[in-house]
Amino acid sequence: MKYNPAETEEKWQKIWEDRKLFKVATDNSKEKFYCLEMFPYPSGKIHMGHVRNYAIGDVISRYKFMQGFNVLHPMGWDAFGLPAENAAIENSTHPAVWTKNNISYMKAQLKKLGLSYDWDREVATCDPEYYKWEQMVFIQMYEKGLVYKKKSLLNWCDDCNTVLANEQVEDGACWRCGHEVRIKELDGWYLKITDYADELLDFTEKLDGWPSKVLTMQQNWIGKSYGAEIDFALTHSDEKIKVFTTRPDTLFGATFMSLAPEHPMAKALLKGTEQEKEGLEFIDAILKDDKVNRMADDKEKKGVFTGRYAINPVTGYQMPIFLANFVLMDYGTGAVMAVPAHDQRDFEFAKKYGCELKIVIMPKEGLELETMTEAYTGAGTLVNSGVFDGTDNESAKKAIVDYLDTHNLGKSTVNYRLRDWQISRQRYWGAPIPFIQCDCCGSVPVPFDQLPVQLPDVDFNPEMRGNPLDKVESFVNTTCPKCGKPARRETDTMDTFMESSWYFLRYTSPQCDTAPFNKDDANYWMNVDQYIGGIEHAILHLLYARFYTKVMRDLGYVSVDEPFKRLLTQGMVCKETYKCPVDGWLFPEESKEGKCAKCGGDVVIGRVEKMSKSKKNVIDPNKLIQTYGADTARLFILFASPPERELEWSDSGVEGSFRFLNRVYRLVFNNLELIKADHAGTAEDALTKELLYALHSTVKKVTEDIERYQLNTAVAAMMEFVNSLYSAEANLTDGHKALFKECLLTLIKILAPFTPHLAEELWEMTGQAELVSRAEWVKFDAAHTQKDEIVVAVQVNGKLRGQIGISRNMAQDDVFALALSNENVSKHTDGMTFVKKIYVPNKLVNFVVK
């Protein structure tokens, strides 16, 4: 009989839903486990990356259910954002309609995968009952001094009509639409994440369950460094330029200054000089470049002289001031004292623009300007440094800072790469910022009893440009809550990272209507015990979520310091790309046997790349489920690669997973009578030992592998177990049947987290009263996991004639002798001539006779 996944999966999904099997509540008498995958943006369809993410989480959740934990496993939708708004404009619909339809479709897709979600906790961040609390917390953060508004130079995309974060600019272009990005001065709202920089950094040392790669990325992003802040006077005015440096020991070697093109003094320095026109053109050109690209080591160093000079405070040297492409406002003060003899970027810049080099740190082996081909950045003794000559450079750092502090020229300080979070977006589809702009009172928060500030209805059409909220007079025009005079409502909406920074807290009590969430519920469920998502979220989302949790703690909403106890970053799903010289990129079904299905021409197989529509290498989960079933899709994606590694798609691998599930089905189906019967006694022989070893070692391996999230090797262990059971099946006696029954029931249990539909079907077929999803996880006996003896199959001319127990390292000739002593084997070889004797170590003996 063949397994029919279509009927089986629909049947069990309905049973789980009708029984609300995965609905949970706070229960202080039980140990909790909170498992969470990063929620999706409702784009319209789930992809194989989603399937992988959610399948991993589902295995962990179901396993914990079976261990007796009170498991919270919720799902929702990161529903605000620019793509919905753009789609609404293109299709002359409303973002809310587009989003709602997509959520409905994607929810149905997720249910087809048999995921163990408590759907009663579903949230959508575009729901006013969600962002109402976000607005309230935003106002409370403002009252606590964590929110402010200021003008600043920001990345701007004219096509998307909105601000972009630095991370959203790729090679000078918008990551969404590819349009060239320009710099624009705008008013914007900021959150003071920098107030939490030290705590965010310190706690990276406590997050033992996080990948070290992610923690390193966050540490580098926060970028704490110790150094000095030094004032450099200008020769043409009374103003000073403040510089941050981690190398005060090189101050006597500073011979020019480099300023970021976006530095607030850049244009003022150029004004009225011969270099003004060239300098302004340079600023415009550099500000279009990607900031990460500007900092690359191999990027050509470019600059322009401003016509102005600064004075080195310890040497009196007049240092020419340059604007340089490799200096950013995002680090330090946006001004760098250039020490070309001891900094490679400064060295290259000085050689190109003819600036002076001065050696101030001398290594033991000596150093000469005339022979220098690169900057010397190592340790040494100070030279050409006045009273500090002869001091080792590490000791000189503090001594020079003390000197600067004494003479009011500078001070010791700490600097961070981290900048405050700019959350203003000039688009419609986001949570409105709950403030009113009054000419008399300035920025005034909306009173709590008037929240939420809801988005008004807007007609979307393809000609729409800019922020639609600016044009809705009934929304914009209001009165000041403080003085009662006419005022204007804030029309910027919040960055969508705001919503994803606290959704995991809302899941703990999503129906709460008196606060963002119930504190007792949050304190029971938090932290998230296991969080699962892509490495691409290592900086922004994960850092913002950590920050937001600490703010919520300080506002009294929750007691935890960190949101996520353990983090698993799953790898991407990749597939070969196919390209026809005539028809371009092809979908997999458009390429057959190396030929283009459209024109018949030869297909070029490209690189293995991340699945994407642009490369036409996507696999539709719906088609996969229709053909093979959800359990096959789950099993393949869990088996093909360790969770944290990239997964290369394989059609043959999918078919292999389907064949394995059919083997399991046949194994159980063919032994239903044995399973339903009662059996007494257990034979004490080699086969019993083999079955006991296979049973307990498999349970041990699967249990330990799930605990350490090596799900691919857990699947491999179950496949090996099935092979062992098939081998044993042909040699069962009455004395083996009770143990074989135990093995089959155990197989179903350990498969349940991975392929739950098949497991439920087989469990029911065997006559079990309760669902396998609620069965107790199997325990193993360590005494049976050590194998000294191995059972080897013995064949004669390829037909199984017996089994023998051998020690692990038995010599080959002894194996043959023992095999021939088996009564059934000797019966089929007696008087025969041996053509060949084959021994597959520890597995198989085959006598070829004539």
Side-chain angles (χ1 to χ4, degrees):
M1 185 173 181
K2 192 175 180 182
Y3 172 53
N4 185 338
E7 291 179 7
T8 300
E9 291 176 358
E10 186 176 349
K11 164 187 169 182
W12 289 108
Q13 286 161 17
K14 187 175 188 307
I15 289 172
W16 295 332
E17 186 167 359
D18 289 348
R19 295 192 188 183
K20 289 193 176 292
L21 194 65
F22 306 110
K23 180 178 174 63
V24 291
T26 297
D27 184 349
N28 290 300
S29 68
K30 294 182 70 175
E31 187 175 357
K32 66 90 183 181
F33 190 89
Y34 187 173
C35 184
L36 181 64
E37 304 96 57
M38 293 180 185
F39 64 170
Y41 173 74
S43 59
K45 285 187 177 181
I46 62 168
H47 52 67
M48 294 313 301
H50 288 133
V51 175
R52 189 180 196 194
N53 191 9
Y54 307 146
I56 292 168
D58 200 52
V59 169
I60 296 167
S61 295
R62 286 176 175 274
Y63 166 72
K64 290 294 182 181
F65 272 123
M66 295 177 74
Q67 283 193 316
F69 285 85
N70 193 25
V71 179
L72 173 57
H73 190 208
M75 177 50 69
W77 312 96
D78 193 7
F80 272 140
L82 192 58
E85 188 168 340
N86 286 343
I89 291 170
E90 291 168 14
N91 297 289
S92 296
T93 186
H94 195 282
V97 174
W98 189 86
T99 300
K100 185 178 179 180
N101 290 341
N102 285 352
I103 287 175
S104 177
Y105 186 79
M106 291 177 71
K107 185 175 179 179
Q109 285 184 297
L110 292 182
K111 286 189 172 182
K112 286 182 179 179
L113 285 167
L115 302 166
S116 57
Y117 293 134
D118 180 356
W119 284 107
D120 286 351
R121 293 176 182 265
E122 179 183 10
V123 300
T125 59
C126 62
D127 185 342
E129 286 306 308
Y130 181 88
Y131 66 74
K132 166 185 179 177
W133 304 113
E134 188 175 304
Q135 291 173 340
M136 186 184 80
V137 171
F138 186 78
I139 293 169
Q140 291 173 334
M141 291 170 75
Y142 174 80
E143 292 170 343
K144 192 176 174 63
L146 292 172
V147 172
Y148 63 94
K149 192 176 187 183
K150 72 169 184 177
K151 282 186 180 293
S152 55
L153 293 171
L154 300 167
N155 302 309
W156 178 265
C157 175
D158 286 312
D159 194 56
C160 293
N161 280 289
T162 193
V163 164
L164 301 176
N166 293 342
E167 298 73 29
Q168 296 167 330
V169 180
E170 299 172 351
D171 296 324
C174 174
W175 68 297
R176 295 187 186 102
C177 67
H179 194 275
E180 187 178 277
V181 170
R182 65 186 177 93
I183 300 298
K184 185 175 181 179
E185 187 175 53
L186 289 170
D187 256 347
W189 290 90
Y190 290 79
L191 297 186
K192 294 184 73 174
I193 189 173
T194 51
D195 279 10
Y196 287 79
D198 277 326
E199 188 181 351
L200 289 167
L201 187 61
D202 292 344
F203 268 80
T204 61
E205 302 293 336
K206 302 176 183 179
L207 295 172
D208 298 333
W210 283 45
S212 58
K213 180 180 179 181
V214 174
L215 295 175
T216 300
M217 291 169 73
Q218 292 211 359
Q219 288 160 359
N220 291 340
W221 190 257
I222 295 167
K224 185 176 184 178
S225 54
Y226 297 89
E229 210 170 64
I230 305 172
D231 292 327
F232 288 76
L234 300 178
T235 59
H236 71 286
S237 76
D238 293 333
E239 290 187 277
K240 295 178 180 180
I241 293 179
K242 202 174 289 294
V243 166
F244 172 80
T245 179
T246 58
R247 296 295 307 274
D249 52 324
T250 65
L251 177 56
F252 284 81
T255 58
F256 66 94
M257 183 178 286
S258 302
L259 248 63
E262 57 267 50
H263 193 285
M265 291 182 68
K267 293 181 180 179
L269 288 171
L270 289 166
K271 193 169 184 179
T273 67
E274 294 179 4
Q275 293 82 7
E276 183 173 9
K277 183 175 183 297
E278 180 188 3
L280 293 175
E281 290 174 352
F282 177 81
I283 291 172
D284 287 342
I286 299 304
L287 292 187
K288 291 177 181 177
D289 200 357
D290 183 300
K291 292 185 179 181
V292 175
N293 188 34
R294 281 167 58 186
M295 290 292 289
D297 289 336
D298 57 355
K299 180 76 172 178
E300 182 187 358
K301 310 301 178 286
K302 294 180 181 179
V304 63
F305 178 45
T306 63
R308 305 296 187 186
Y309 294 83
I311 301 171
N312 186 316
V314 293
T315 65
Y317 184 83
Q318 293 192 11
M319 305 162 55
I321 303 172
F322 286 82
L323 304 181
N325 64 336
F326 59 88
V327 184
L328 303 178
M329 277 303 298
D330 289 348
Y331 182 77
T333 63
V336 174
M337 67 172 205
V339 186
H342 302 290
D343 181 275
Q344 187 58 30
R345 282 179 176 163
D346 295 344
F347 181 89
E348 293 172 17
F349 192 92
K351 288 292 186 182
K352 182 173 182 178
Y353 292 100
C355 299
E356 182 181 347
L357 277 74
K358 183 180 178 182
I359 294 172
V360 292
I361 296 179
M362 186 66 69
K364 288 181 180 179
E365 59 272 19
L367 196 63
E368 294 182 5
L369 281 176
E370 293 75 15
T371 58
M372 288 183 71
T373 57
E374 61 182 8
Y376 175 69
T377 58
T381 304
L382 262 62
V383 296
N384 301 319
S385 299
V387 296
F388 301 102
D389 281 356
T391 310
D392 73 273
N393 72 295
E394 283 301 319
S395 300
K397 288 180 179 178
K398 183 178 186 308
I400 290 175
V401 173
D402 288 344
Y403 172 86
L404 294 169
D405 191 32
T406 301
H407 293 81
N408 294 319
L409 298 170
K411 61 180 180 179
S412 176
T413 189
V414 176
N415 188 70
Y416 298 88
R417 183 178 184 269
L418 182 68
R419 289 292 177 261
D420 283 339
W421 178 7
Q422 206 274 8
I423 61 97
S424 293
R425 296 297 178 264
Q426 296 70 38
R427 294 303 295 254
Y428 170 83
W429 194 233
I433 294 175
F435 271 78
I436 291 166
Q437 303 301 325
C438 173
D439 291 339
C440 297
C441 307
S443 296
V444 181
V446 173
F448 288 155
D449 61 4
Q450 293 180 23
L451 299 179
V453 177
Q454 293 197 49
L455 289 169
D457 283 333
V458 173
D459 290 328
F460 285 80
N461 60 75
E463 285 72 43
M464 182 172 283
R465 290 291 180 269
N467 183 354
L469 290 177
D470 288 333
K471 305 173 182 67
V472 183
E473 292 187 7
S474 59
F475 176 80
V476 174
N477 296 326
T478 185
T479 57
C480 174
K482 190 179 279 189
C483 69
K485 293 179 181 178
R488 289 176 58 83
R489 196 179 295 281
E490 175 64 70
T491 58
D492 282 358
T493 53
M494 296 188 198
D495 180 4
T496 55
F497 280 112
M498 289 285 283
E499 285 82 62
S500 60
S501 293
W502 71 283
Y503 75 107
F504 44 87
L505 288 163
R506 182 66 178 172
Y507 280 146
T508 64
S509 46
Q511 279 78 45
C512 182
D513 59 2
T514 57
F517 46 86
N518 179 279
K519 185 173 182 178
D520 290 338
D521 288 333
N523 286 337
Y524 172 75
W525 289 112
M526 291 295 291
N527 319 65
V528 174
D529 293 280
Q530 183 62 58
Y531 198 36
I532 306 165
I535 189 74
E536 66 272 18
H537 300 293
I539 299 296
L540 294 181
H541 164 57
L542 289 170
L543 191 63
Y544 292 155
R546 293 182 60 218
F547 161 64
Y548 212 99
T549 300
K550 293 176 188 299
V551 171
M552 296 294 263
R553 174 203 63 196
D554 292 347
L555 290 173
Y557 285 108
V558 71
S559 299
V560 295
D561 298 309
E562 289 283 341
F564 313 121
K565 185 176 180 181
R566 292 181 68 176
L567 173 69
L568 173 64
T569 54
Q570 94 280 358
M572 296 184 298
V573 181
C574 305
K575 198 177 191 303
E576 281 185 330
T577 54
Y578 302 90
K579 194 172 187 179
C580 170
V582 177
D583 295 307
W585 293 106
L586 306 173
F587 284 110
E589 61 269 21
E590 296 173 334
S591 169
K592 295 180 180 177
E593 298 180 356
K595 300 288 184 181
C596 174
K598 297 178 181 178
C599 70
D602 290 335
V603 167
V604 177
I605 297 178
R607 296 179 302 174
V608 174
E609 296 181 283
K610 178 184 177 182
M611 284 190 181
S612 69
K613 291 179 182 177
S614 62
K615 292 296 184 184
K616 290 195 171 183
N617 61 352
V618 294
I619 300 294
D620 184 353
N622 277 3
K623 291 182 179 178
L624 186 67
I625 292 170
Q626 287 169 7
T627 306
Y628 296 105
D631 280 348
T632 296
R634 291 167 59 119
L635 189 72
F636 166 74
I637 215 154
L638 294 167
F639 175 57
S641 174
E644 72 279 2
R645 302 271 183 85
E646 285 188 354
L647 183 155
E648 185 177 341
W649 189 264
S650 163
D651 292 336
S652 62
V654 174
E655 291 165 2
S657 296
F658 184 63
R659 287 196 300 273
F660 169 71
L661 294 185
N662 274 283
R663 290 191 77 214
V664 172
Y665 185 84
R666 288 195 301 273
L667 180 65
V668 175
F669 183 81
N670 292 339
N671 287 284
L672 283 178
E673 288 187 15
L674 180 153
I675 294 170
K676 291 178 180 179
D678 293 326
H679 308 283
T682 301
E684 295 185 9
D685 59 7
L687 182 55
T688 294
K689 288 182 180 179
E690 186 70 15
L691 283 172
L692 283 170
Y693 171 77
L695 171 64
H696 291 280
S697 63
T698 300
V699 173
K700 180 177 187 289
K701 175 70 172 166
V702 172
T703 301
E704 291 176 350
D705 282 354
I706 295 177
E707 288 288 349
R708 60 193 184 97
Y709 303 158
Q710 294 303 299
L711 306 183
N712 59 314
T713 52
V715 174
M718 289 187 282
M719 290 178 170
E720 208 171 300
F721 187 37
V722 170
N723 289 339
S724 298
L725 295 180
Y726 265 104
S727 296
E729 186 181 26
N731 296 285
L732 296 177
T733 66
D734 287 345
H736 300 122
K737 288 181 178 179
L739 179 55
F740 195 73
K741 173 181 177 178
E742 183 184 355
C743 288
L744 292 173
L745 293 176
T746 297
L747 172 64
I748 298 170
K749 282 186 179 182
I750 61 177
L751 271 171
F754 297 83
T755 57
H757 308 90
L758 174 63
E760 291 287 14
E761 185 70 10
L762 294 177
W763 197 247
E764 183 185 61
M765 285 166 56
T766 61
Q768 309 302 315
E770 190 49 76
L771 298 174
V772 74
S773 298
R774 284 295 174 268
E776 186 179 347
W777 186 254
V778 195
K779 293 180 174 61
F780 62 87
D781 184 343
H784 293 303
T785 61
Q786 303 300 316
K787 186 176 181 183
D788 296 320
E789 191 174 68
I790 299 157
V791 174
V792 172
V794 184
Q795 297 179 350
V796 179
N797 288 341
K799 292 186 178 180
L800 183 69
R801 297 303 184 186
Q803 290 182 320
I804 57 171
I806 66 170
S807 59
R808 278 190 178 279
N809 300 311
M810 183 178 283
Q812 184 170 294
D813 289 344
D814 293 338
V815 174
F816 287 138
L818 185 62
L820 288 169
S821 69
N822 180 284
E823 184 179 348
N824 198 43
V825 174
S826 63
K827 183 172 71 176
H828 287 87
T829 57
D830 190 34
M832 301 287 186
T833 301
F834 289 98
V835 177
K836 198 182 294 181
K837 297 178 183 178
I838 301 168
Y839 176 50
V840 180
N842 299 337
K843 289 188 178 180
L844 172 72
V845 174
N846 188 19
F847 295 109
V848 181
V849 299
K850 67 176 182 179

